[in-house]
Amino acid sequence: MCTIMVVDNNQLTRNWVQDCIHQSNIKLNKIILCTTETEAEAYISSHSVDIAFARIDKANPAGVKLVKTIQNNLLFSIILGYGNCKDYHSLCHVFNNGVSQYLQDVFNKQELEGLLNSAYERYCSNRIKLQSMATKTSEESGKAYSDTFLTQLVESYLRNAKVNAAEMLESYINMLLDVMDSQPLHHSKTMVLEMLIIITEKVNDGMVKTDYVLFNAKDWQTIMSFKSAEDLKRMCANYLTNLAKNIYLLSNTKKQKTSSILSAMNFIKCNYHKDISRDDVAYAVSLNPCYFSKFFKEQLGESFVSYLRRIRMEKAKTLLESADVTITAVSEKVGYADSKYFSKLFVDYTGVTPGEYRKSIKKLLA
C-alpha cells in the first residue's frame, strides 16, 4: 500500500493531482496534501512517504531543498516533479537534484496518470527487491523468497500484463529468475508451484482474464521432475511471457481486430469437440481463411492448429482425471473420432500416453 505526498500552495492543483491519483492503478494507503515545503519537511521528519510529488522550478527554490530533505530522510522514496523547466540546463538541474521524472504540464491528465502509474510500478519493483533481499539475509535454509514477495511479484506482473508494459514485465520475470539463481533447485520448484497457485487464484478472483493453461496435477509432476535450474528458468520465463500476451489480448476487447480473435477463440471453445477446421472458424468470424491464419498467429503467438490442439488436450487431461470415462470416450469428447490418433497427439503434447497420464494422476491423488 503506497503513501503519496503532494506539495503545492495552489488548492486547485492539489485537488487535481489527488483526483488523478484516485483514478490511477495505484493501490493506495493514503495521500498527504501539503501547502508548503516547510509543512512537507515537518511531516517527513517523522513519517514515511513512498512517492513525493512537488512543484520544482526556478521560481521555487524551496522545492529543490525539499527534494534534498526527502533524499536524506527517505532513502527509497520516489520523487516526481512538475513546473516550467523546459530548457536542457534547467532539466539537468532538476534531475541532478534527485527528481526521477518531471512533468511540464500538470493538467495534462494522460501524461500525469502515466507518470503516476510509472512511479507506482517503480515503487512496487523496489519493494519486491527489498523483500527479496530481506528474505535472503534472514533465511538460513537457503530459501530466497517469502510469501509476501511472491504475492507482490504476481500482482505486479498481472497488473502490467493487462497493459502490455513490456519493460516492467521483463523486470518482474528477471526478479524471479534472480531469486532462482540464489537458492537451491528444490526451493525454486516449490516457488514456481506457489506462484502458479497464486496466479490461478488471482484469475479466479477476476484480477485478469486469461484462457491460458494455468495449473493442474500434471504440471506439479512436470515441474518437480526438472533436474536443471536452467531448464526450470527457461520454462518459467516462456510461460510467463506467453501468459502475459494472452492476458493483454483478453483485456483489450474494444479493439476491432482483437474482437475478431476473441470471437474465434470463443467459437473454438464452444466447438472443439466437433470436427472443425481453420476455414470453419474463419468463416464464423467473417475473415478470409488465409488472412485468418496469419492474423491468428500474429495475435496469439501460436497457430490455429496449435491453439485448437492445446484446448483439446487440456480438456482431455481434465476428463482423464475421472476413472469413469474411457479413453475412447475422452477422444470423442475432444473432437477426435480416431482414438489411436488422439493418443499419438496426447503423447506429443504431454510426453505420456493417456493411460499413463491417468495412472500418474491416481498416484498424485492417492
Side-chain angles (χ1 to χ4, degrees):
M1 300 292 281
C2 186
T3 298
I4 302 180
M5 171 181 282
V6 180
V7 187
D8 196 290
N9 60 7
N10 187 303
Q11 184 176 351
L12 175 63
T13 304
R14 292 197 305 273
N15 291 342
W16 165 255
V17 175
Q18 180 177 225
D19 289 343
C20 288
I21 292 171
H22 284 301
Q23 294 172 27
S24 70
N25 295 325
I26 296 173
K27 189 179 290 186
L28 196 62
N29 178 24
K30 58 184 174 181
I31 301 175
I32 311 299
L33 300 177
C34 296
T35 306
T36 66
E37 286 76 9
T38 302
E39 182 183 348
E41 289 177 8
Y43 183 88
I44 289 168
S45 65
S46 56
H47 298 84
S48 179
V49 171
D50 300 306
I51 299 174
F53 192 64
R55 174 178 291 280
I56 302 168
D57 52 37
K58 292 180 179 179
N60 184 28
V64 174
K65 181 175 179 291
L66 173 63
V67 171
K68 293 180 178 178
T69 302
I70 294 172
Q71 288 183 312
N72 291 334
N73 288 272
L74 305 172
L75 182 61
F76 295 104
S77 287
I78 297 167
I79 305 171
L80 307 177
Y82 62 94
N84 57 14
C85 292
K86 296 182 180 180
D87 62 275
Y88 174 77
H89 293 293
S90 296
L91 289 173
C92 283
H93 178 70
V94 167
F95 291 120
N96 288 339
N97 277 286
V99 176
S100 60
Q101 290 176 279
Y102 191 80
L103 189 65
Q104 292 174 346
D105 182 6
V106 74
F107 291 104
N108 184 320
K109 186 175 182 180
Q110 184 176 0
E111 289 188 8
L112 176 56
E113 289 185 346
L115 185 78
L116 291 169
N117 289 331
S118 174
Y120 180 61
E121 287 306 326
R122 284 192 57 200
Y123 156 77
C124 291
S125 177
N126 290 343
R127 188 175 175 186
I128 293 170
K129 288 176 182 176
L130 287 171
Q131 177 66 38
S132 177
M133 289 168 60
T135 303
K136 290 175 187 176
T137 56
S138 63
E139 291 283 351
E140 297 180 357
S141 62
K143 176 181 171 182
Y145 73 97
S146 67
D147 294 341
T148 303
F149 162 80
L150 209 52
T151 300
Q152 290 177 352
L153 188 140
V154 167
E155 289 179 349
S156 298
Y157 160 82
L158 293 177
R159 188 172 56 249
N160 282 275
K162 287 196 292 186
V163 297
N164 195 29
E167 187 175 340
M168 290 308 302
L169 283 169
E170 184 179 359
S171 171
Y172 289 122
I173 292 173
N174 286 337
M175 279 187 213
L176 196 71
L177 301 183
D178 287 343
V179 170
M180 290 185 185
D181 285 335
S182 61
Q183 65 184 5
L185 179 59
H186 67 278
H187 283 316
S188 293
K189 291 178 180 179
T190 303
M191 181 177 71
V192 173
L193 291 172
E194 291 177 358
M195 178 191 69
L196 290 172
I197 292 170
I198 295 172
I199 290 175
T200 303
E201 290 173 346
K202 297 297 181 184
V203 171
N204 292 338
D205 289 343
M207 182 175 178
V208 293
K209 295 179 181 179
T210 181
D211 68 347
Y212 204 68
V213 181
L214 290 174
F215 183 70
N216 56 40
K218 184 63 180 178
D219 294 324
W220 180 89
Q221 191 177 53
T222 301
I223 291 169
M224 295 308 289
S225 68
F226 276 108
K227 303 296 183 184
S228 161
E230 289 304 314
D231 288 342
L232 180 63
K233 287 168 61 179
R234 191 177 303 111
M235 180 280 294
C236 189
N238 289 338
Y239 173 85
L240 291 175
T241 300
N242 292 328
L243 175 62
K245 291 178 181 177
N246 187 263
I247 289 172
Y248 175 66
L249 178 71
L250 297 185
S251 299
N252 292 271
T253 56
K254 293 181 180 179
K255 295 182 179 179
Q256 185 176 359
K257 287 186 175 181
T258 302
S259 178
S260 298
I261 290 296
L262 291 173
S263 297
M265 293 165 69
N266 187 57
F267 182 87
I268 293 169
K269 290 173 190 173
C270 293
N271 296 279
Y272 68 87
H273 58 289
K274 301 177 184 178
D275 183 21
I276 58 173
S277 67
R278 175 205 67 175
D279 290 8
D280 293 328
V281 182
Y283 291 137
V285 297
S286 304
L287 290 177
N288 175 278
C290 292
Y291 172 75
F292 171 76
S293 291
K294 180 181 178 182
F295 178 56
F296 192 93
K297 188 166 185 178
E298 285 177 351
Q299 294 295 306
L300 288 186
E302 63 180 320
S303 67
F304 160 76
V305 172
S306 174
Y307 181 83
L308 174 60
R309 185 176 300 163
R310 175 163 67 82
I311 295 297
R312 286 173 166 173
M313 291 300 115
E314 289 302 320
K315 181 61 179 177
K317 287 161 73 175
T318 301
L319 292 170
L320 286 168
E321 292 176 13
S322 170
D324 299 331
V325 186
T326 66
I327 292 174
T328 299
V330 170
S331 175
E332 292 173 352
K333 285 178 180 291
V334 296
Y336 297 106
D338 186 342
S339 60
K340 290 184 179 179
Y341 180 60
F342 160 71
S343 295
K344 178 182 180 301
L345 293 178
F346 193 87
V347 171
D348 290 342
Y349 186 77
T350 65
V352 295
T353 66
E356 290 169 339
Y357 180 85
R358 175 169 275 167
K359 288 179 182 178
S360 68
I361 293 299
K362 285 182 181 179
K363 288 181 181 180
L364 289 173
L365 300 178

